[in-house]
Amino acid sequence: MSDVPKPEELVQIDHSPPLTGGWMDSPVEIKPGIACYGAKEKELAYVGMPNARDWDPLEEDWKLPENWQEIILNGLRERIDRFRSLKIFMDICVRCGACSDKCHFFIGGGDPKNMPVLRAELLRSVYRKEYKLAGKIMGRFAGAREMTLDVLKEWWSYFFQCTMCRRCSVFCPYGIDTAEITYIGRELLNLIGLNINWIAAPVANCYRTGNHLGIQPHAFKDMIDFFVDDIEDITGIKVEPDLNRKGAEILFITPSGDVFADPGTYTCMGYLMLFHYLKGMGLDITWSTYASEGGNFGSFTSHEMAKRLNSKMYAEAKRLGVKWILGGECGHMWRVIHQYMDTFNGPADFLEAPVSSITGTRFENAKSTKMVHIAEFTADLIKNNKLNLDPSRNDHLKVTFHDSCNPARGMGLLDEPRYVLKSVCNNFYEMPEDTIREKTFCCGSGSGLNAGEDMELRMRGGMPRANAVKYVHEKYDVNMLATICAIDRAALSDLMGYWVPEVEVTGLHELVANALILEGEQKRTTDLRSETLPGMEEEELEEDADV
């Protein structure tokens, strides 16, 4: 953060269009603070990605294969023939500009090439040169251009300045999904080894150990044990998580960020407490230390890599012989499951359509994927009066909710988390209407951009979201931002620390666990973060004195 300009400097943004010259005449500038590190040889090689080598995007020589142009153009041709949607997106855009001011990176940075219409034009211009008669004959007068090294570097820079959040698609009158164009652009770049290490390393780790962080099974278990001890200190209850048990009804899979990174760790404690509460009611659930990752960084690499990493969850479900899968709070995990699972690895006919053993609810929306989001699962429990809750335990918090792009726009999970929040919190406030639900602003760090070296890009891209949080903080004294995505929990913590330091970040099930009354628990004086609960100040002081 020390290298990032101060907030008052970052808000000095010039959104005026250039008065001379066209976008094709503006060379790309790849610079620290905006660009991520290039993928390392060992990471690319481990998963069999092409042209594995160490390279630096800030250097002139990117160590490309001699026939890189041929590889890119053949890859584009293959994808145009394979994906009808891509060809449609290439042909139907009329450059109306409805999407132009909808991108958080353009709003926060002012770079015209971060307007979704122009970012797509980077690929579309090469498509015209290869596929359109007018482009072949008239060149740039028809909006066409050759695939040159400068164009390649421009692609790399701007396709890794897009979080594929799909906010622009909500406003496009033709329904063009610019995220899919970025998806294809990155896939083409990966054909010649042009990924970033913040994506390549998690992909290799996930393929190697089952999670993005490369954590071995015994270390995963150790972290769960730490949480068990913390929960016992707070509640007096010793929860007993179940790991790798064959024959369980349900396999639970959550993003590894919930197990190894604050504030997601408190969310993980929330899962453990909820499952303990439900165990006496018949919940039969196990965790896996092998398929220990719900997230899918492969989706930022290629369709095939996303398919490969998605398959591990279903392979583990088959190995353990479970009936269905419950998934934790994650973003891209659910984009892949909801939008791509059936064509990637499904339908999962060896599993059963999910039915809650607690409420009897049949989750019809999951009858193909056999996987239920935990926000849906918990909302169903609350609706059927299965949880004993004391929302006053969260009265020290004034909460707002960030709709994570993938669960919100990608799978329509809008009302369930709000229903849960309003059941476990007495003080809930929405951000402005044009910044939530389908129109939600991105955290500015998704799709693998949650690195440390591109912090200026992240703070610029996250500024629209932070501005909406700042609004409710000033109007309602909001001090907690809830979300159902592990990447968001990590990214928004940095973002709030920079733009709105008075606001902290939480997961949904941390708040559920705060409110959940466990049978036989000791009188709770703190929340999961060991912060004193409202009205418990004197008792907490007495406990401290006794210690």
Side-chain angles (χ1 to χ4, degrees):
M1 282 291 193
S2 60
D3 296 330
V4 181
K6 301 297 182 185
E8 56 270 20
E9 299 175 272
L10 224 57
V11 296
Q12 304 302 315
I13 306 166
D14 181 10
H15 288 103
S16 60
L19 299 178
T20 59
W23 65 268
M24 290 188 189
D25 299 315
S26 304
V28 63
E29 181 183 8
I30 298 174
K31 59 183 181 179
I34 301 297
C36 290
Y37 298 144
K40 300 297 183 183
E41 177 181 7
K42 66 175 183 177
E43 315 296 1
L44 294 174
Y46 192 85
V47 289
M49 296 298 290
N51 195 25
R53 81 278 180 230
D54 291 340
W55 67 286
D56 185 349
L58 299 179
E59 294 180 355
E60 187 66 25
D61 182 7
W62 284 13
K63 304 177 183 179
L64 302 173
E66 289 185 5
N67 64 334
W68 69 265
Q69 290 167 304
E70 179 184 358
I71 295 172
I72 290 286
L73 294 176
N74 286 342
L76 177 59
R77 188 172 297 110
E78 177 188 340
R79 285 154 182 78
I80 289 290
D81 293 341
R82 181 182 177 188
F83 302 117
R84 182 171 178 267
S85 59
L86 178 62
K87 190 175 190 306
I88 292 172
F89 295 159
M90 290 291 99
D91 287 338
I92 67 173
C93 178
V94 295
R95 273 79 74 199
C96 69
C99 65
S100 296
D101 61 346
K102 307 307 185 297
C103 176
H104 46 284
F105 286 121
F106 175 64
I107 296 172
D111 188 337
K113 291 180 185 177
N114 271 327
M115 294 188 296
V117 59
L118 190 42
R119 188 187 295 110
E121 201 73 7
L122 303 180
L123 180 60
R124 193 177 283 119
S125 59
V126 175
Y127 163 81
R128 291 196 191 100
K129 185 66 177 178
E130 291 297 307
Y131 281 88
K132 298 300 177 181
L133 182 61
K136 292 178 179 180
I137 296 173
M138 301 176 65
R140 64 184 297 152
F141 292 103
R145 60 179 179 166
E146 300 280 354
M147 187 71 221
T148 67
L149 183 59
D150 286 341
V151 170
L152 179 72
K153 291 189 174 185
E154 190 177 53
W155 277 18
W156 183 87
S157 178
Y158 289 99
F159 289 145
F160 287 103
Q161 290 185 59
C162 172
T163 49
M164 299 191 283
C165 78
R166 302 175 70 245
R167 187 173 194 264
C168 52
S169 67
V170 172
F171 297 90
C172 176
Y174 290 89
I176 295 173
D177 191 343
T178 306
E180 289 291 335
I181 297 174
T182 294
Y183 203 147
I184 294 297
R186 289 191 181 186
E187 193 163 297
L188 294 173
L189 291 169
N190 271 278
L191 295 177
I192 54 176
L194 293 182
N195 208 320
I196 64 174
N197 208 55
W198 196 250
I199 292 174
V203 166
N205 284 335
C206 200
Y207 191 60
R208 183 185 301 115
T209 68
N211 61 74
H212 291 155
L213 300 175
I215 303 300
Q216 299 287 344
H218 64 276
F220 187 95
K221 180 183 182 302
D222 287 344
M223 285 303 300
I224 297 295
D225 288 342
F226 286 140
F227 298 150
V228 168
D229 291 341
D230 287 345
I231 291 170
E232 186 173 14
D233 288 342
I234 295 167
T235 67
I237 300 293
K238 183 82 169 181
V239 303
E240 297 179 353
D242 191 292
L243 302 174
N244 303 322
R245 179 168 57 88
K246 290 186 176 182
E249 180 186 10
I250 305 166
L251 170 61
F252 178 66
I253 300 178
T254 193
S256 57
D258 281 350
V259 183
F260 294 99
D262 290 343
T265 52
Y266 304 114
T267 301
C268 192
M269 291 168 65
Y271 302 148
L272 291 166
M273 291 171 64
L274 177 64
F275 298 160
H276 173 84
Y277 182 97
L278 297 174
K279 189 175 182 179
M281 302 170 69
L283 185 72
D284 183 17
I285 194 165
T286 193
W287 303 52
S288 171
T289 61
Y290 300 102
S292 50
E293 179 65 70
N296 196 322
F297 270 58
S299 62
F300 313 141
T301 304
S302 70
H303 288 87
E304 290 305 315
M305 191 62 71
K307 176 181 177 179
R308 191 192 301 188
L309 297 188
N310 185 67
S311 67
K312 74 181 184 307
M313 298 189 294
Y314 289 89
E316 184 69 347
K318 181 175 287 188
R319 185 185 77 86
L320 294 176
V322 301
K323 292 182 179 179
W324 56 279
I325 305 173
L326 181 65
E329 298 181 22
C330 184
H332 37 81
M333 171 188 190
W334 288 101
R335 172 98 178 269
V336 170
I337 291 295
H338 188 73
Q339 296 189 333
Y340 301 114
M341 166 56 190
D342 278 352
T343 52
F344 276 0
N345 308 106
D349 291 337
F350 65 93
L351 296 171
E352 298 179 9
V355 177
S356 172
S357 58
I358 311 300
T359 67
T361 297
R362 183 181 180 87
F363 294 96
E364 293 290 341
N365 59 312
K367 63 183 178 182
S368 177
T369 65
K370 312 299 193 294
M371 194 166 182
V372 175
H373 194 292
I374 194 166
E376 299 175 274
F377 181 74
T378 302
D380 176 63
L381 291 169
I382 295 173
K383 183 180 179 181
N384 285 280
N385 299 312
K386 297 299 182 180
L387 300 184
N388 188 9
L389 300 168
D390 180 4
S392 70
R393 289 177 175 173
N394 286 313
D395 278 356
H396 57 307
L397 305 176
K398 295 186 177 180
V399 183
T400 192
F401 182 67
H402 165 70
D403 291 277
S404 299
C405 301
N406 288 318
R409 276 190 290 267
M411 66 178 294
L413 195 66
L414 305 170
D415 294 318
E416 292 86 347
R418 287 176 167 81
Y419 178 78
V420 174
L421 276 175
K422 292 175 182 178
S423 300
V424 300
C425 298
N426 290 321
N427 306 305
F428 174 71
Y429 305 93
E430 289 278 20
M431 286 180 275
E433 182 180 354
D434 284 345
T435 72
I436 59 173
R437 302 178 75 87
E438 293 92 340
K439 297 178 182 179
T440 185
F441 273 115
C442 181
C443 68
S445 301
S447 79
L449 301 185
N450 187 26
E453 67 269 19
D454 64 336
M455 195 62 77
E456 180 180 341
L457 175 71
R458 292 172 52 192
M459 295 304 102
R460 287 188 180 278
M463 185 177 67
R465 167 47 73 224
N467 194 44
V469 175
K470 187 176 179 65
Y471 173 82
V472 290
H473 167 67
E474 293 178 347
K475 186 172 183 178
Y476 303 113
D477 198 26
V478 162
N479 58 10
M480 187 62 80
L481 175 61
T483 186
I484 53 171
C485 172
I487 291 293
D488 280 343
R489 281 191 284 279
L492 291 169
S493 294
D494 287 334
L495 191 72
M496 293 300 102
Y498 182 82
W499 288 110
V500 200
E502 302 87 355
V503 177
E504 295 185 276
V505 179
T506 182
L508 182 66
H509 281 79
E510 176 185 347
L511 302 180
V512 171
N514 281 344
L516 189 64
I517 302 174
L518 301 175
E519 184 178 354
E521 68 176 21
Q522 65 190 22
K523 190 171 186 178
R524 284 203 232 172
T525 58
T526 70
D527 61 16
L528 295 192
R529 302 190 184 196
S530 297
E531 295 178 0
T532 305
L533 293 174
M536 294 293 171
E537 292 81 5
E538 289 188 9
E539 294 193 31
E540 185 68 8
L541 287 172
E542 290 176 4
E543 289 184 11
D544 291 342
D546 291 339
V547 173

